[in-house]
Amino acid sequence: MEVLTASFANTTASLPFNQYLSDFDFSQVSWLKVILTTLCLAMVYDQVSYQLSKGNIAGPTFKFYPFIGPFLESLDPKFEIYQAKWNSGPLSCVSIFHKFVVIASTRDLARKVLSSPKYVKPCVVDVAVKILRPSNWVFLDGKAHVDYRKSLNGLFTRQALEMYIPQQEKIYDKYLSKFVELSKDGPIPFFHDFREIMCAVSLKTFCGDYITDDQIRKIADDYYLITAALELVNFPIIIPYTKTWYGKKTADMVMKIFEGCAGKAKEHIKNGGEAICVMDAWVELMEEARKNKSDNPESKLLVREFSNKEISEAIFTFLFASQDASSAATCWLYQIVADRPDVVRKIHEEQLAVRGGDPNVPLSLDLIEKMTYTNMVVKETLRYRPPVIMVPYVAKQKVPLTESYSAPKGSMVIPTLYPALHDPEAYENPEEFIPERWVAGGAAEQAKKNWLVFGTGPHVCLGQQYVMLLFTGLIGKSVMFNHIKHKVTPLSEKIKVFATIFPQDDCILEFSKRDDPTVLDAVVAH
């Protein structure tokens, strides 16, 4: 055999390659057979690769649909399918378009992934880099990410949070009046209107008066295009007139507006203006860092000079991180409260008590911090219906998750937050809404490892205190000045997944003004 092989090699080597090709009879080749053979080999490789990656964790025995896996299911995600995955085992898997996905469902495994920057880094879909821009800070890793976050910490201090509240209250007043007008003829779905108020609150908090009402309305109307473009399963290439194309155009438009606002903030602070928004606070931090460095060359204040473009990209990530989650939380918060007259009564009593009986006392940080029961309602809502149910990461290297299983390099590793927040060992009767479980020193407060609403580890949410203050102030003021009636439907408690989770009927409500905010007259739940 070796002699024959050597003889063949010598013979072919002695022939000019072009002559060898010209003598080969391509007419004998069946291109259909070549294609089918290649396809079969690719399918076998895809299945074998899946089996090797899957190991001993839960998941389909084989990829029922070659290559695409459960892609079609992912186009219309069902909460029940996610739950089935979580219940199938501590670790489970799927494979879509040859992307292997490991789902970590227990509290401890979720925390392990969230706290392992050596092995994983946050990831979004392939087009996210193009939509958010490659230079965006969210794509930083390791020390670069830690240092950048330190530069942003000053935007969420107690002093900064208090600065934002007057702007936020103006938005509350404007939209609560709008909600009354919108539902004057009866209950309507409020899903889109809650997305708009949350967008408006965020934009005024971030940009203050540098952003116009028309710009806020435009961003609120179009933001869903960005959400759709960044769905977990999506086409990875930006093609004109597709979801990703519209999402990219919208993101570029929003960041252009933010760049202009950043320039105005710098000019405002330079001229001695008062800081009232995040951009103002950021510019003041840069001024302070510059002064400290001049007075003390050894100063370790990590705020450097940020360009308008960098500020716009970072502010966009704040909007990206908050918009869908806050919209979902608003839907559930209003629906849950409206369905429970006893909760309404307790909130109303507390709102009057902290204001000394005067409903017109404006919101302040001190005032909101006195709203103990209202805060417990917000916290229980975030536990009961957590807006973010999972966070995708990508494995930078092989990730040891258990003694017997490691997620392969390049796979997606997704810690799930929902099961930890519905763990009966941490929260008695977890499927019931019980604000009182959050009384200081209670069992729920003790279960700190289960409180994963805002994540944990190096990427824990910067704005968690901001979120609690915002929703406590908003729902408190809403209950004090308005009747909120919820029209219950068979879909009210069914969960729809669209980046976050929402009621399937889009939260059907009716708002009407109280004749006297100091009087809690009858509230009828439909």
Side-chain angles (χ1 to χ4, degrees), residues 251-272:
D252 289 347
M253 176 267 292
V254 174
M255 281 189 259
K256 192 69 178 175
I257 290 172
F258 287 168
E259 278 192 61
C261 292
K264 293 175 183 176
K266 287 180 177 179
E267 191 67 25
H268 175 73
I269 298 301
K270 180 182 176 182
N271 292 330

Side-chain angles (χ1 to χ4, degrees), residues 329-520:
T330 307
C331 286
W332 291 114
L333 181 60
Y334 276 104
Q335 174 172 305
I336 288 166
V337 168
D339 283 342
R340 294 163 173 80
D342 60 318
V343 172
V344 170
R345 175 179 56 78
K346 291 176 183 178
I347 292 176
H348 189 270
E349 288 174 354
E350 180 175 77
Q351 293 302 309
L352 285 175
V354 299
R355 290 174 169 83
D358 180 2
N360 295 311
V361 173
L363 288 173
S364 67
L365 185 58
D366 287 338
L367 190 71
I368 296 174
E369 287 179 339
K370 293 175 183 175
M371 301 174 186
T372 306
Y373 180 77
T374 310
N375 182 275
M376 290 194 296
V377 170
V378 172
K379 197 164 187 178
E380 178 67 350
T381 300
L382 295 176
R383 181 205 67 82
Y384 181 65
R385 290 291 182 263
V388 179
I389 57 176
M390 51 191 158
V391 185
Y393 282 74
V394 65
K396 297 190 289 185
Q397 56 180 299
K398 196 174 183 180
V399 187
L401 294 172
T402 67
E403 290 184 1
S404 60
Y405 183 79
S406 296
K409 180 181 179 180
S411 61
M412 286 183 70
V413 186
I414 303 182
T416 301
L417 313 183
Y418 192 96
L421 294 162
H422 286 252
D423 181 356
E425 292 186 12
Y427 308 110
E428 187 177 356
N429 300 320
E431 301 308 319
E432 293 183 21
F433 182 85
I434 308 172
E436 289 79 5
R437 74 168 83 244
W438 293 104
V439 66
E445 281 285 354
Q446 300 293 327
K448 296 187 185 300
K449 286 188 175 181
N450 286 71
W451 181 248
L452 294 177
V453 170
F454 298 102
T456 190
H459 292 276
V460 67
C461 177
L462 275 170
Q464 53 185 300
Q465 188 179 0
Y466 163 81
V467 170
M468 296 302 297
L469 292 171
L470 185 155
F471 283 115
T472 300
L474 174 60
I475 195 64
K477 188 155 193 173
S478 299
V479 166
M480 187 168 60
F481 284 97
N482 296 274
H483 297 295
I484 310 165
K485 300 177 183 179
H486 174 224
K487 181 179 179 181
V488 179
T489 75
L491 299 178
S492 294
E493 291 297 328
K494 299 287 186 181
I495 294 175
K496 171 175 66 177
V497 181
F498 180 66
T500 56
I501 60 173
F502 297 88
Q504 282 190 13
D505 64 2
D506 288 345
C507 193
I508 303 174
L509 299 170
E510 178 183 349
F511 285 76
S512 59
K513 282 190 175 181
R514 294 189 186 278
D515 294 331
D516 183 351
T518 65
V519 177
L520 182 69

Side-chain angles (χ1 to χ4, degrees), residues 274-292:
E274 180 185 1
I276 62 170
C277 65
V278 169
M279 285 189 178
D280 288 341
W282 198 341
V283 175
E284 280 194 336
L285 284 172
M286 287 191 285
E287 295 281 348
E288 181 185 349
R290 211 165 22 243
K291 183 177 184 300
N292 281 2

